[in-house]
Amino acid sequence: GKFPAGCDKRYPKRVVYPGFLTLAKILDRGWNPEVPSCNLVFLSARPHIYKDVAEDHSYQLFSSLVSDGRMHSFPTLLPGKLRQGLQAMLTFAFLRTRAWAPVGELKYQTFLKFRKLYREFD
């Protein structure tokens, strides 16, 4: 991929890793097609900005995967924050991958907050 879109050059950009969708369905052992649910959660570094501009690409991908029958359930997307993302991009030349540590920490803290909302799904 191209900075900051990823670094795995084995697959073309915007390709879902082979086997990932099957793994997600297997891990979602409580999923039932008859009951609406949202057990699948993605953590993104993309910030939530004006009218979901940054997240729209992900939502379009999720929508097409679900409508094509490739993804079993429409996931929740937990966005990042603009400050951490900009800071990481601006300091990457000097700090290299360490520049993304605050982004990773924010993802972790965001997930912990989300998990508190849905304790029954621990």
Side-chain angles (χ1 to χ4, degrees):
K2 222 170 155 187
F3 178 81
C7 57
D8 191 347
K9 296 178 182 2
R10 297 174 296 168
Y11 298 98
K13 287 175 74 173
R14 296 173 176 67
V15 169
V16 178
Y17 279 99
F20 171 75
L21 298 173
T22 302
L23 175 64
K25 187 173 182 179
I26 290 168
L27 293 175
D28 191 4
R29 61 182 174 236
W31 180 73
N32 178 345
E34 303 299 318
V35 180
S37 69
C38 191
N39 298 333
L40 190 56
V41 179
F42 285 89
L43 298 168
S44 176
R46 292 181 179 144
H48 174 74
I49 53 177
Y50 181 73
K51 293 189 176 183
D52 299 332
V53 171
E55 300 119 309
D56 192 51
H57 174 74
S58 297
Y59 285 124
Q60 287 179 14
L61 174 62
F62 297 155
S63 183
S64 70
L65 290 171
V66 171
S67 65
D68 292 347
R70 294 179 57 207
M71 184 179 278
H72 71 288
S73 178
F74 198 90
T76 296
L77 179 67
L78 302 179
K81 300 241 185 231
L82 186 60
R83 181 177 157 259
Q84 283 84 351
L86 285 175
Q87 180 181 357
M89 290 190 337
L90 294 172
T91 60
F92 181 78
F94 306 104
L95 298 176
R96 308 305 295 166
T97 57
R98 289 177 301 165
W100 291 96
V103 174
E105 180 61 29
L106 175 66
K107 285 182 176 188
Y108 177 67
Q109 294 302 323
T110 300
F111 177 73
L112 291 179
K113 289 177 187 176
F114 179 80
R115 191 176 73 171
K116 281 184 180 180
L117 294 172
Y118 302 100
R119 293 189 177 273
E120 66 271 20
F121 296 110
D122 280 355

